[in-house]
C-alpha cells in the first residue's frame, strides 16, 4: 500500500462512486496509470446505496421513439434560465457515447424501464419511459474479496431487511396483488439458495440496484487492475506553478503527497453529511439526519476544489426528496413511493395540504421549504393515512399490514413512528395540529378523491405521478379517501439524495475559476461538481447519468492534456 504511494501515477481519482469509477475506467483505457482514493473502508459511495437507475435519452434500449433534438428540447425546457445549453447538449450527446462505451467495453449493463416516465413527461420533448434504465443485477462473488468492502445498500431497498430486488420487480410488487406475492416468494427462495455464499461473504451475494452498478464498475476495474485505495482520504490538493500535480493524504497519522502527472479528478460526492456546510449554503432548517445518502459525503472534494481557486455554484441546491426519520436508523428514508400511493396526504403544522404529494420528489421536497418560508410551519410536515393505506402499502420500514399487521408491529414503529390513533381528533392532538383544520382538510381531500380529481394540487394528473400509484379499481391511481380508522401520520422532512452544488466545471469536466479560466490539472464530476441539471431532475437516474458521463469526459480531458 505504501509503495503505491511512493510511485507516481498519471491520474488520481478521488472517490469511488459512479463518477470516480467511470473516470478511472476510461482513464485506464486511454493508457493512463490511475489510482482511486476512497476515504471510507467501503467503495461505492451513495451510488452503491442508490436505486442504480441511470437517465440517458435516446438510448438504444428504449421502446419509445426518441431523438437527441427532443431530449435537448426537454432539458432546456425544464432547466429554464439556469440551464447551460452547451453543457446540456454535451450531456445529451456524450451520455449516449458513455453508455455505448461501457456496454461494449465493461461489465456495466443497464436494462430499460419502459414505464418509468420522465418526471415532466408532458413537457416538450418529455417521454413516457425508457430514458431511465436500471443496472442489471449481478452475482457479487465475481468481485471476490472486494465484495466484503462494497458499501451496503440503503436498508429501505431491502425486502424484509434481507435482500434486494430490481426497480421493475418493486413496481410489480406494489400493485401486483397475488402476482406480487408469487414474485416475493420466488425472490425469497433465491435468497435461501444463497445461504452458503452469504455465510462465506458475510452479506447477501446477489447485487441489485446501486449495489449492482457499483459492483459492475468495480468488477470492470478489477479486471483492468485499477486499484482502489480504501481508507485513504483526500486532505488537500498540491499545486505547482498554477497546476494541480497531486494530493495530500493522511495515513497512520502521517501526511503524505501522492503525485500525478495528469492531475486529479475530484469525485468525492456532495456535502449532505456536513452540518456546517449545510448551515452555510443550504436552505434552513436543515439536518444531516434527513439525507438518505452516504455518511462520507462531507464536502471534502468541494472544499479542496475551492481552496485551489475553483468557483462553486448551485451550493443551495440538492436532489431534494421528502424523507422520514425511522427509529434506530441514522439514514433518512425516502418517501418516493409512499407519497404517490392512494389514501395519503401531506399536511403542514396548521393541518393544511400544501403541494401535489405525488409530483416529482425534487418538487415535493422543495415544497416543504417553500411552505415553511411562506409562514406555515412545514418542517416537519406529516404524511397522514388511514387503515386501508396501512393494510395495502409499505410505510418506511413497516411492511404492508396484510403481511405485518399492527398487532405484530413493535410499539416504537406503530405508536412512536406512525402515531397510530383511533380518530382524526386523536391524531390531531398527537401531532399538535388544529383538529378542526385537519378534519376539514381530510373531508375536502376525500370529496376530491371520490371524484378522482384533485382540483387543489393536481395529484395524479401526470404520468410520473401515476408511476407509483395503484391503478387497481381507480380512475386516478394516486387518489383514495382517508376514511377508515385507525389513522396514522409520520413526520416528513425536506431530505435529499445528495447535494448538487459544487465545483464549477466546463463541459469536459475541467474545474473553472470565477473568471472562467481553467485550473490546469483539476477536474470534477458527480455531486462534487455543480450539476448540469441546474435546479431540476429530468427523470429517474438524472444524477447517476451525469455522474457517469462527466466522470468519463473528465478522464478524456485529462488524457488529452499532455501539457
Ligand atoms: C437511497 C438513494 C437512492 C438513490 N437512487 C438514485 C437513482 O436510482 N438514480 C440516480 O440517478 N440517483 C440516485 N440517487 C442519488 C445518487 O446515488 C448520487 O447522486 C450519486 O450516486 C452520486 O455519485 P458520486 O459519484 O458523485 O458520489 P458517491 O457515489 O457518493 O461517491 C463519492 C465517494 O467519495 C468518497 N469520499 C468522500 N470524501 C472523500 C475524500 N476526502 N477522499 C476520498 N474519497 C472520499 C465517498 O466515501 C464516496 O465513496 C440515490 C441516492 C440515495 C441516497
Amino acid at each position: 500500500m505504501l509503495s503505491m504511494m511512493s510511485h507516481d501515477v498519471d491520474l488520481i481519482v478521488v472517490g469511488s462512486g459512479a463518477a470516480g469509477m467511470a473516470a478511472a475506467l476510461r482513464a485506464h483505457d486511454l493508457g493512463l496509470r490511475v489510482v482511486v482514493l476512497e476515504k471510507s473502508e467501503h467503495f461505492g459511495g451513495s451510488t452503491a446505496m442508490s436505486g442504480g437507475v441511470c437517465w440517458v435519452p435516446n438510448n438504444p434500449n428504449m421502446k419509445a421513439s426518441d431523438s437527441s433534438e427532443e431530449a435537448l428540447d426537454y432539458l432546456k425546457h425544464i432547466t429554464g434560465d439556469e440551464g447551460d445549453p452547451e453543457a446540456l447538449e454535451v450531456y445529451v450527446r456524450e451520455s449516449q457515447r458513455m453508455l455505448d462505451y461501457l456496454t461494449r467495453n465493461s461489465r456495466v449493463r443497464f436494462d430499460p424501464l419502459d414505464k418509468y416516465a420522465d418526471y415532466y413527461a408532458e413537457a416538450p420533448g418529455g417521454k413516457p419511459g425508457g430514458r431511465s434504465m436500471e443496472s442489471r443485477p449481478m452475482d457479487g462473488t465475481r468481485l471476490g474479496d472486494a465484495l466484503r468492502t462494497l458499501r451496503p445498500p440503503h436498508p429501505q431497498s431491502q425486502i424484509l431487511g434481507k435482500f434486494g430486488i430490481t426497480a421493475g420487480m418493486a413496481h410489480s410488487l406494489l400493485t401486483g396483488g397475488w402476482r406480487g406475492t408469487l414474485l416475493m416468494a420466488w425472490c425469497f427462495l433465491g435468497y435461501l439458495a444463497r445461504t452458503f455464499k452469504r455465510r462465506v461473504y458475510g452479506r447477501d451475494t446477489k447485487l441489485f440496484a446501486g449495489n449492482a452498478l457499483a459492483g459492475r464498475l468495480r468488477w470492470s476495474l478489477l479486471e483492468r487492475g485499477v486499484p482502489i485505495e480504501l481508507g485513504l482520504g483526500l486532505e488537500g490538493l498540491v499545486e505547482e506553478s498554477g497546476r494541480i500535480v497531486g494530493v495530500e493524504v493522511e495515513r497512520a497519522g502521517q501526511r503524505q503527497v501522492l503525485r500525478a502527472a495528469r492531475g486529479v479528478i475530484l469525485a468525492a460526492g456532495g456535502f449532505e453529511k456536513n452540518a456546517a456546510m449545510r448551515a452555510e449554503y443550504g436552505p434552513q432548517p436543515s439536518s444531516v439526519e434527513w439525507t438518505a445518502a452516504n455518511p462520507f459525503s462531507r464536502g471534502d472534494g468541494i472544499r479542496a476544489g475551492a481552496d485551489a481557486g475553483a468557483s462553486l455554484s448551485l451550493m443551495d441546491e440538492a436532489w431534494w426528496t421528502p424523507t422520514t426519520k425511522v427509529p434506530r436508523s441514522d439514514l433518512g428514508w425516502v418517501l418516493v413511493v409512499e407519497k404517490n400511493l392512494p389514501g395519503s396526504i401531506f399536511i403542514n403544522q396548521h393541518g393544511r395540504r400544501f403541494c401535489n404529494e405525488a409530483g416529482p420528489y425534487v418538487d415535493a421536497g422543495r415544497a416543504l421549504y417553500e411552505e415553511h418560508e411562506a409562514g406555515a410551519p412545514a418542517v416537519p410536515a406529516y404524511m397522514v393515512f388511514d387503515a386501508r393505506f396501512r393494510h395495502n402499502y409499505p410505510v418506511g420500514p413497516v411492511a404492508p399490514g396484510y403481511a405485518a399487521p399492527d398487532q405484530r408491529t413493535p410499539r416504537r414503529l406503530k405508536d412512536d413512528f406512525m402515531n397510530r390513533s383511533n380518530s382524526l381528533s386523536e391524531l390531531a392532538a398527537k401531532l399538535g395540529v388544529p383538529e378542526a383544520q385537519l378534519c376539514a382538510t381530510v373531508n375536502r381531500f376525500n370529496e376530491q378523491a371520490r371524484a378522482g380529481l384533485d382540483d387543489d394540487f393536481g395529484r395524479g394528473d401526470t404520468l410520473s405521478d401515476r408511476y407509483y400509484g395503484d391503478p387497481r379499481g381507480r380512475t386516478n391511481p394516486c387518489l383514495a379517501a382517508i376514511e377508515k380508522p385507525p389513522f396514522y401520520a409520520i413526520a416528513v422532512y425536506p431530505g435529499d439524495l445528495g447535494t448538487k452544488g459544487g465545483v464549477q466545471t466546463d463541459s469536459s469536466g475541467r474545474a473553472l475559476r470565477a473568471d472562467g479560466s481553467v485550473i490546469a490539472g483539476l477536474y470534477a464530476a458527480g455531486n462534487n461538481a455543480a450539476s448540469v441539471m441546474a435546479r431540476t431532475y429530468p427523470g429517474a437516474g438524472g444524477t447517476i447519468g451525469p455522474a457517469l458521463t462527466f466522470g468519463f469526459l473528465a478522464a478524456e480531458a485529462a488524457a488529452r492534456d499532455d501539457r
Side-chain angles (χ1 to χ4, degrees):
M1 209 78 85
L2 280 174
S3 64
M4 158 62 69
M5 311 240 346
S6 62
H7 283 92
D8 286 351
V9 292
D10 295 314
L11 186 70
I12 294 168
V13 175
V14 183
S16 64
M21 286 200 279
L25 187 155
R26 185 67 180 130
H28 169 274
D29 289 4
L30 289 168
L32 303 189
R33 289 168 305 153
V34 55
V35 61
V36 180
L37 308 186
E38 169 53 55
K39 184 174 187 165
S40 86
E41 297 295 342
H42 292 95
F43 72 93
S46 291
T47 305
M49 299 166 70
S50 77
V53 177
C54 174
W55 191 87
V56 174
N58 198 21
N59 71 66
N61 297 333
M62 60 194 284
K63 285 200 189 121
S65 78
D66 197 2
S67 68
S68 297
E69 292 70 29
E70 286 175 285
L72 191 56
D73 257 9
Y74 176 67
L75 288 175
K76 283 184 181 166
H77 182 86
I78 63 166
T79 55
D81 291 344
E82 300 207 47
D84 171 352
E86 189 213 316
L88 293 172
E89 204 209 314
V90 167
Y91 181 64
V92 168
R93 187 182 62 240
E94 300 295 338
S95 59
Q96 296 172 37
R97 190 168 65 85
M98 171 278 298
L99 179 66
D100 182 61
Y101 185 86
L102 290 185
T103 309
R104 287 174 195 272
N105 299 290
S106 83
R107 299 291 182 176
V108 175
R109 296 287 180 279
F110 288 106
D111 294 321
L113 292 168
D114 281 314
K115 292 186 199 149
Y116 211 151
D118 284 349
Y119 290 160
Y120 308 92
E122 292 76 10
K127 290 289 161 190
R131 286 173 173 167
S132 299
M133 302 167 293
E134 69 174 325
S135 179
R136 190 171 297 167
M138 72 170 275
D139 174 2
T141 63
R142 301 272 190 183
L143 299 176
D145 275 347
L147 176 59
R148 300 177 211 276
T149 57
L150 169 58
R151 179 162 292 287
H154 192 294
Q156 81 170 83
S157 67
Q158 299 298 285
I159 304 293
L160 305 172
K162 296 190 184 312
F163 55 88
I165 53 174
T166 66
M169 286 173 182
H171 194 236
S172 333
L173 202 63
L174 275 175
T175 55
W178 61 267
R179 263 182 311 218
T181 313
L182 276 183
L183 184 63
M184 196 72 281
W186 175 249
C187 293
F188 194 66
L189 283 177
Y191 174 77
L192 289 180
R194 298 190 294 275
T195 302
F196 176 70
K197 288 184 186 175
R198 206 163 41 249
R199 290 214 177 111
V200 172
Y201 286 93
R203 55 158 293 160
D204 194 16
T205 54
K206 180 91 186 260
L207 307 183
F208 292 88
N211 253 229
L213 175 57
R216 285 182 173 279
L217 283 162
R218 182 77 198 267
W219 184 9
S220 311
L221 292 182
L222 284 168
E223 288 179 329
R224 285 164 166 80
V226 174
I228 297 185
E229 296 283 330
L230 296 176
L232 198 56
L234 165 86
E235 297 288 334
L237 292 165
V238 179
E239 188 232 295
E240 279 173 11
S241 311
R243 185 180 177 91
I244 300 303
V245 295
V247 297
E248 278 187 22
V249 294
E250 194 170 291
R251 182 169 264 174
Q254 277 200 321
R255 282 258 162 163
Q256 292 172 311
V257 167
L258 182 58
R259 297 174 68 85
R262 305 294 177 107
V264 176
I265 297 182
L266 296 172
F271 62 91
E272 54 275 7
K273 282 289 188 184
N274 182 321
M277 286 179 82
R278 288 196 89 113
E280 181 176 354
Y281 296 109
Q284 300 303 314
S286 80
S287 164
V288 294
E289 296 188 344
W290 302 340
T291 179
N294 172 24
F296 285 82
S297 295
R298 297 176 193 156
D300 294 358
I302 298 174
R303 281 183 296 153
D307 289 348
S311 167
L312 304 182
S313 50
L314 280 177
M315 292 295 283
D316 57 339
E317 270 300 338
W319 307 100
W320 303 115
T321 178
T323 56
T324 191
K325 283 291 304 157
V326 167
R328 300 185 186 172
S329 172
D330 293 337
L331 297 167
W333 284 54
V334 174
L335 295 171
V336 165
V337 174
E338 290 90 332
K339 74 183 188 51
N340 293 46
L341 287 164
S344 70
I345 50 171
F346 288 179
I347 56 162
N348 63 25
Q349 291 173 25
H350 292 166
R352 293 180 192 274
R353 273 184 86 205
F354 56 92
C355 69
N356 171 14
E357 301 87 348
Y361 41 86
V362 67
D363 295 333
R366 193 183 279 124
L368 269 76
Y369 275 128
E370 286 169 355
E371 181 72 356
H372 200 76
E373 280 156 18
V379 183
Y382 297 100
M383 185 179 96
V384 174
F385 51 99
D386 71 354
R388 203 174 296 139
F389 186 98
R390 162 81 184 94
H391 177 80
N392 288 330
Y393 310 123
V395 178
V398 187
Y402 66 76
D406 278 356
Q407 309 84 281
R408 296 215 307 266
T409 303
R411 176 173 283 187
R412 69 173 189 282
L413 293 174
K414 185 175 52 182
D415 297 333
D416 303 345
F417 171 60
M418 292 199 295
N419 289 293
R420 181 188 147 113
S421 305
N422 291 323
S423 64
L424 281 178
S425 313
E426 188 184 326
L427 186 67
K430 273 193 188 162
L431 304 179
V433 308
E435 177 191 338
Q437 183 58 58
L438 177 60
C439 293
T441 300
V442 170
N443 286 340
R444 175 162 176 80
F445 176 75
N446 286 352
E447 280 168 27
Q448 297 184 332
R450 288 186 196 107
L453 209 57
D454 174 15
D455 286 330
D456 292 341
F457 298 101
R459 178 173 171 143
D461 284 358
T462 70
L463 282 175
S464 161
D465 288 12
R466 293 195 284 271
Y467 180 71
Y468 279 124
D470 181 353
R472 290 172 293 178
R474 289 186 185 82
T475 48
N476 186 330
C478 301
L479 292 181
I482 301 169
E483 56 193 357
K484 189 170 177 213
F487 298 95
Y488 306 80
I490 58 170
V492 181
Y493 298 94
D496 60 75
L497 303 172
T499 50
K500 60 152 60 167
V503 170
Q504 183 64 51
T505 62
D506 67 10
S507 51
S508 44
R510 297 183 303 174
L512 299 176
R513 297 187 184 85
D515 64 6
S517 61
V518 168
I519 303 178
L522 188 63
Y523 307 84
N527 290 347
N528 203 140
S531 174
V532 66
M533 296 301 170
R535 297 184 186 275
T536 192
Y537 205 134
T543 93
I544 285 177
L548 291 169
T549 304
F550 289 104
F552 188 84
L553 293 181
E556 292 186 343
R560 274 195 307 271
D561 179 17
D562 56 0
R563 285 193 263 180

